Amino acid sequence: MPEAMVASRALDSSSSASTQTVDAAVVGAGFAGLYLLHRLRKAGLSAVLLEEAKDVGGTWYWNRYPGARCDIQTIDYSYSFDPELETAWKWSEKYATQPEILRYLGFVADRYDLRRDIRFGTKVTSATWDQAAQRWQIATDNGAKVSCRHYIMATGCLSAPKPPEIDGVKEFKGEVYFTGRWPHDGVKLAGRRVAVIGTGSSGIQAIPMIAQEAAQLTVFQRTPNFALPAHNGAPPADRLGALEGDRAAYREQARWSLVGVPWPQQTVVSWQLSEAERRERFETAWAAGDLAYILTQLWADQGVDVDGNKIVADLIREKIRGIVEDPETVAALTPHDHPFGAKRPCLDTNYYATYNRPNVTLVNLRQEPVKAITATGITTDKRNFDVDVIVFATGFDAMTGAILAVHPITGRDGKALSDVWANGPQTYLGLTIAGFPNLFMITGPGSPSVLSNMAVSIEQHVDWVVDRIAALRDAGFTTMEATETAQAGWAQHMADCAMLTLHRLANTWYTGANVPGKAQGVMPYTGGVGPYRSICNEVVTRGMLGFRLSGPNIAEQCNDGEVVRLQPDVRLVLGLLAQMNLPPLETMGAQGARDFLNEFNKGRPSGRPVGEVGDGMLQGADGPLPYKLYRPATPGPHPVVVYFHGGGWVLGDQQSDDPFCRDMCRRTGMIFVSVGYRHAPEHRFPAAAEDGYAATRWIADHAAELGGKPGPLLVAGWSAGGNIAAVTCQLVRDRGGPEIAGQLLVCPVTDCSFDRASYIDNAANYFVTRGLMFWFWDLYCSPADRTDPRVSPLRGKLAGLPPAFVATCEFDPLRDEGVAYAEALAAAGVPVEQLKARGHFHSSFTMVDVVITGAPGRIQMAEALRRFAGLPPEVKLPPQRLEAAAS
Ligand code: NAP
């Protein structure tokens, strides 16, 4: 828009009445603010948009540095709310330049006549909640104040540039520029000596362009980043074809995807692929030039597991070595301190090759830190660099910076947002803040925001906020505020999600680590775009869960609570199972249920490699039984664990807990012998219990042949297998051996009483149901036998049993009987360690590599087994990972 028009708009507003009264005030005229204005108007709400810049564009208004482009394919980085808009605009490139994106946003502003409600050149200087009026009072540096019912921050996540943090900038006699505040009329770089400080996305885009113009370019790099070639050009025909073939389906897939780009969820994990297959996948991704693709499509464990991630990281390092000629520069450019994707990777055009140019020098600040900026250039510990221009590509006070830049924001009871957030941002859904009624954030901290395609997340947020405001109005409420409970619950869920991905392992602007003194913690929601959307929807369908709604002529409504109490991956698994609408197992008959589970298990990820897996036969109580043996890759002999699988004494076999046995074998360094005990209803009580005892005897007698270490065995089991393990410990104590050094009971059945709270609270919806457990009991054991300690070990004598580790899961009918057993063991003088796994369900620990959040619990189990066996602890983990799994 011409500057003259902008000026006249600003003048209009300054000459208006002293307070402008509207339903909603929006800050920021970028992607989010423009769509908000459009939606608010359509919902019949009066609105004003306050924008510091002189035109629309938000981040694309300010970031005009050479090479600035989007790095999500532009057909994805577009509005999707209006199909006519979509067909009215054609992108010229796969990754559009900043000027083209700015033109697009101007086109949108004009198409929906948005500018008439935008006050350009207007900065908000304070925002105060007026409790009596139930309105926000906004002061600005230009023109009328604003009084609004709803105050919406569409300020962007990366809008507040970080100060240089280097002494002496003021002394410098040359020119200083920030990539995030680049002059509109460009900068003359030709023939000049230029320094660029910073090698994040901005620096990596700008450096190759500056190198082509400048006489000499010196890049000051503190941390090397992963960068991938963008392979820019026309929008790829396949993606364009998919979009144009079925626009609605394409957009819908993006909305429910992991990062807001319509790629499917990967299910294949790295160890299921050969090295050649992995390389082929990687080369395809490298050639695709697409961050969302390489971050989600290689293998399922790349973003959640350090080993799966290292494979990608190593392949990228290999590429860097293949491009950059000077070995010292290769070493300096090779990322080493963070997993790939944990810090925002960059898309580039000729970035690494730029370092082969004779006019480009890389300075590794890890080896020679900057001492100061002087009148003539930059001084490091070792050298002086005289330059004419310094470009700071040093990034932003991300996610919270732009919100807190509107200072002060004062909520209910005079609370300042800067104080409330002193230890890091606290939000409900990243959309609202307790104590700040009717204040909304678009893509705020606590939402997927910067870990997603912003266009998709912005539309979802705007729709949610405007729909809620309109529904509130229609119901007669004027005020909406998140409760403290809901907000604390969201913080817990955020923390749980953060344990899932590798983002916590890198110091980045995602965690606030780039700004000295800023509170640290993963700020964006790492649980994914689709899951996040479903949670926001759930808040609404559960009656505005976690919000207090009030109004002058209506009774207050407060539906307090936490929207997600399950671990994020458990929520996904249960959601998928619910979608499948499977018939209850107990309606299938025993053989039908076995067949069904065999079929079902074919789709699960196979277990990780161990040294050796073998089959054999052992002697049970009434004949031979099959077993499966898992041997570690380390040299033997190893301690031996006798393992009993789950399945309610009816289902499963010696290999049905294969992933769990492999995982525990790897983590403990022990042999696991999984016993194929007899099942009901063909073999009813006490067949399974007696087989457990007989198998343990046989394994003890043959331990040496199996490669086991002489000495006591360990026993372990999950679910009904936990029951058999517990019973076995009692039987060997009473029948004179063999010696057991420790027992691991995972969600064990320990008693025949069904009236404990967990049987009632978790009777349905968590896979193992009350009805299923009744069926198992009926098939295995007649009512008259149920109090026998060989099936209800809680009713047996507990003194003199081996030390135990008892794991129970919060959302499991069997939780309370497991806890009761642990407590009874402790009361009987048995050393017991308990893991009460918050947010987990019955199968959390055995669904290895599906329920990733079960891993810390398995580490604790492995450590316990090693302790029982007298081995030193092997698994080292930051303490917070262990805490996350424990209650
Ligand atoms: P950034 O990723 O935070 O990178 C800043 C760079 O400056 C880092 O290399 C950092 O080093 C360095 N740095 C910061 N302070 C320094 C100091 N005092 N001395 C020396 N070096 C210093 O910032 P950005 O490049 O502006 O990118 C921010 C985000 O904006 C991106 O991650 C991306 O999400 C978005 N962005 C997107 C695009 C696009 O769509 N194409 C383009 C640009 C930006 P350390 O790593 O050691 O802190």
Side-chain angles (χ1 to χ4, degrees):
M1 181 183 211
E3 296 278 313
M5 285 174 70
V6 172
S8 87
R9 165 63 56 197
L11 220 66
D12 282 353
S13 55
S14 62
S15 63
S16 63
S18 61
T19 300
Q20 184 178 8
T21 301
V22 286
D23 293 324
V26 175
V27 188
F31 257 98
L34 294 180
Y35 181 47
L36 255 174
L37 194 51
H38 174 65
R39 278 289 337 258
L40 286 165
R41 275 190 197 161
K42 284 193 77 151
L45 293 148
S46 60
V48 63
L49 194 158
L50 305 167
E51 170 55 63
E52 187 182 348
K54 292 183 176 171
D55 201 350
V56 299
T59 196
W60 298 106
Y61 176 91
W62 299 107
N63 284 273
R64 296 166 183 251
Y65 58 86
R69 293 174 184 272
C70 61
D71 59 8
I72 294 283
Q73 291 203 29
T74 328
I75 58 166
D76 297 309
Y77 188 71
S78 307
Y79 291 116
S80 70
F81 65 88
D82 180 354
E84 285 181 19
L85 167 65
E86 289 209 54
T87 44
W89 183 269
K90 282 258 176 295
W91 292 107
S92 66
E93 290 184 271
K94 179 179 171 189
Y95 297 107
T97 58
Q98 174 270 338
E100 187 175 6
I101 301 171
L102 197 57
R103 277 200 303 281
Y104 171 71
L105 292 172
F107 172 79
V108 170
D110 291 337
R111 186 178 173 91
Y112 301 99
D113 187 22
L114 299 177
R115 285 191 163 96
R116 68 182 153 88
D117 285 324
I118 305 179
R119 284 170 52 182
F120 291 109
T122 304
K123 192 172 156 112
V124 174
T125 51
S126 74
T128 308
W129 175 247
D130 178 344
Q131 184 71 23
Q134 300 280 291
R135 298 180 74 81
W136 282 94
Q137 309 298 352
I138 314 289
T140 72
D141 68 349
N142 180 13
K145 293 178 180 165
V146 177
S147 168
C148 57
R149 177 78 67 206
H150 304 285
Y151 181 43
I152 313 175
M153 309 297 283
T155 37
C157 296
L158 295 154
S159 334
K162 212 168 67 105
E165 298 156 5
I166 298 174
D167 291 341
V169 181
K170 286 203 181 111
E171 315 301 321
F172 183 57
K173 298 274 184 272
E175 294 163 27
V176 173
Y177 300 102
F178 287 79
T179 49
R181 289 288 181 273
W182 201 256
H184 286 203
D185 36 12
V187 176
K188 183 181 166 292
L189 297 170
R192 306 176 81 184
R193 296 165 303 170
V194 181
V196 173
I197 303 178
T199 52
S201 299
S202 306
I204 282 176
Q205 285 185 334
I207 285 163
M209 303 294 286
I210 295 175
Q212 286 173 30
E213 273 195 72
Q216 173 64 40
L217 169 62
T218 311
V219 178
F220 294 81
Q221 174 198 270
R222 193 162 64 184
T223 312
N225 232 329
F226 289 99
L228 312 148
H231 300 305
N232 203 15
D238 57 340
R239 302 308 297 159
L240 206 53
L243 173 66
E244 288 173 354
D246 188 345
R247 201 172 281 279
Y250 184 96
R251 296 299 188 206
E252 196 59 9
Q253 195 189 342
R255 291 181 187 120
W256 291 99
S257 67
L258 206 57
V259 299
V261 179
W263 296 115
Q265 177 81 42
Q266 263 304 316
T267 52
V268 178
V269 281
S270 57
W271 66 88
Q272 290 175 300
L273 301 163
S274 68
E275 200 186 327
E277 286 168 328
R278 290 197 294 256
R279 187 171 283 275
E280 192 186 326
R281 282 181 177 222
F282 172 76
E283 291 296 345
T284 305
W286 189 261
D290 184 321
L291 274 183
Y293 185 90
I294 199 167
L295 283 167
T296 61
Q297 298 301 301
L298 292 180
W299 34 88
D301 52 326
Q302 68 182 87
V304 295
D305 180 86
V306 279
D307 297 335
N309 187 279
K310 187 173 178 301
I311 302 170
V312 195
D314 284 345
L315 287 165
I316 300 176
R317 292 182 189 116
E318 197 181 296
K319 288 285 184 195
I320 299 171
R321 284 197 297 276
I323 302 169
V324 181
E325 288 157 8
D326 171 48
E328 210 177 310
T329 310
V330 171
L333 284 171
T334 302
H336 50 76
D337 73 336
H338 62 276
F340 171 65
K343 188 171 184 154
R344 175 68 142 72
C346 311
L347 265 198
D348 76 88
T349 301
N350 298 328
Y351 176 64
Y352 291 118
T354 295
Y355 291 96
N356 295 335
R357 293 175 66 105
N359 69 332
V360 178
T361 307
L362 180 67
V363 178
N364 183 349
L365 297 183
R366 297 285 176 204
Q367 286 177 357
E368 45 176 319
V370 170
K371 262 181 30 193
I373 291 176
T374 63
T376 56
I378 299 176
T379 308
T380 69
D381 267 5
K382 294 186 181 159
R383 294 178 276 179
N384 289 324
F385 296 89
D386 285 346
V387 294
D388 307 309
V389 177
I390 299 177
V391 175
F392 283 96
T394 41
F396 301 87
D397 181 356
M399 307 215 64
T400 54
I403 296 172
L404 291 173
V406 176
H407 195 80
I409 298 179
T410 311
R412 201 164 35 73
D413 306 325
K415 278 198 184 133
L417 185 60
S418 48
D419 291 339
V420 173
W421 280 9
N423 295 321
Q426 297 293 319
T427 72
Y428 182 36
L429 305 169
L431 285 160
T432 59
I433 307 163
F436 294 79
N438 291 1
L439 171 71
F440 298 95
M441 295 164 294
I442 304 301
T443 63
S447 77
S449 56
V450 290
L451 294 179
S452 70
N453 173 3
M454 279 299 211
V456 168
S457 286
I458 283 169
E459 285 192 337
Q460 185 252 336
H461 268 192
V462 169
D463 289 340
W464 195 93
V465 168
V466 178
D467 289 347
R468 302 289 54 79
I469 292 176
L472 206 68
R473 174 199 59 192
D474 297 347
F477 293 109
T478 50
T479 305
M480 157 178 178
E481 184 188 338
T483 68
E484 294 284 353
T485 314
Q487 186 162 285
W490 191 248
Q492 181 63 65
H493 177 57
M494 285 277 294
D496 291 342
C497 288
M499 299 312 292
L500 209 56
T501 69
L502 302 177
H503 289 104
R504 68 186 184 287
L505 302 182
N507 290 327
T508 66
W509 59 259
Y510 293 145
T511 64
N514 67 327
V515 176
K518 188 168 174 172
Q520 306 254 328
V522 179
M523 289 186 287
Y525 178 77
T526 54
V529 165
Y532 175 80
R533 177 181 293 267
S534 81
I535 293 168
C536 291
N537 293 350
E538 190 180 328
V539 166
V540 179
T541 56
R542 290 174 69 188
M544 291 305 285
L545 183 63
F547 283 104
R548 183 173 290 110
L549 311 179
S550 58
N553 304 312
I554 188 165
E556 184 176 284
Q557 174 191 314
C558 181
N559 186 7
D560 205 3
E562 301 145 274
V563 60
V564 184
R565 291 181 54 214
L566 293 166
Q567 290 292 332
D569 40 8
V570 171
R571 184 177 180 276
L572 286 183
V573 169
L574 290 173
L576 284 174
L577 287 170
Q579 267 175 27
M580 290 163 125
N581 209 10
L582 303 171
L585 281 176
E586 60 269 30
T587 61
M588 298 179 183
Q591 195 49 49
R594 287 172 195 155
D595 294 344
F596 173 82
L597 277 187
N598 283 343
E599 208 43 46
F600 191 78
N601 280 342
K602 282 185 189 156
R604 74 181 175 185
S606 66
R608 294 189 187 213
V610 295
E612 182 197 346
V613 180
D615 294 298
M617 296 300 287
L618 55 75
Q619 191 57 37
D622 190 30
L625 299 173
Y627 70 81
K628 204 159 196 81
L629 183 141
Y630 301 87
R631 193 187 310 286
T634 50
H638 305 94
V640 178
V641 182
V642 184
Y643 179 78
F644 301 106
H645 67 82
W649 308 286
V650 176
L651 310 173
D653 57 28
Q654 68 279 9
Q655 62 177 19
S656 55
D657 292 351
D658 180 84
F660 182 67
C661 289
R662 286 171 182 264
D663 189 76
M664 293 302 290
C665 167
R666 287 166 62 98
R667 291 184 193 279
T668 56
M670 297 180 186
I671 290 173
F672 269 62
V673 184
S674 175
V675 179
Y677 56 87
R678 285 171 298 160
H679 287 152
E682 295 85 350
H683 305 280
R684 286 169 60 84
F685 172 82
E690 292 299 341
D691 276 350
Y693 168 72
T696 305
R697 277 218 80 96
W698 187 92
I699 292 167
D701 292 345
H702 297 81
E705 290 159 45
L706 299 175
K709 212 169 167 172
L713 300 176
L714 299 115
V715 296
W718 167 57
S719 192
N723 172 272
I724 297 169
V727 169
T728 296
C729 289
Q730 295 191 13
L731 293 179
V732 298
R733 176 201 57 195
D734 298 342
R735 296 178 183 176
E739 203 186 332
I740 306 285
Q743 50 181 326
L744 167 65
L745 311 178
V746 185
C747 306
V749 181
T750 69
D751 194 30
C752 57
S753 162
F754 305 116
D755 54 9
R756 292 187 174 86
S758 58
Y759 246 101
I760 297 155
D761 299 345
N762 304 322
N765 301 329
Y766 303 111
F767 191 59
V768 168
T769 62
R770 192 180 165 85
L772 181 64
M773 286 309 301
F774 283 1
W775 183 64
F776 285 147
W777 273 97
D778 285 345
L779 289 183
Y780 181 50
C781 193
S782 61
D785 291 328
R786 290 188 187 178
T787 53
D788 189 310
R790 285 176 299 167
V791 70
S792 289
L794 184 58
R795 299 187 187 232
K797 183 184 137 211
L798 302 182
L801 289 175
F805 184 98
V806 183
T808 51
C809 292
E810 185 180 6
F811 294 96
D812 181 2
L814 304 182
R815 178 193 67 206
D816 291 350
E817 66 195 73
V819 171
Y821 195 64
E823 287 171 357
L825 285 172
V830 177
V832 180
E833 204 178 320
Q834 275 202 69
L835 165 63
K836 295 181 181 176
R838 183 180 49 74
H840 283 286
F841 81 132
H842 189 71
S843 306
S844 280
F845 293 120
T846 48
M847 291 186 90
V848 180
D849 298 309
V850 175
V851 180
I852 311 287
T853 52
R858 286 194 304 276
I859 289 168
Q860 277 180 280
M861 294 174 199
E863 283 176 342
L865 286 176
R866 289 182 66 85
R867 257 196 319 279
F868 296 155
L871 299 178
E874 197 175 60
V875 195
K876 294 264 186 300
L877 211 74
Q880 73 269 22
R881 277 193 67 175
L882 298 176
E883 279 162 24
S887 58

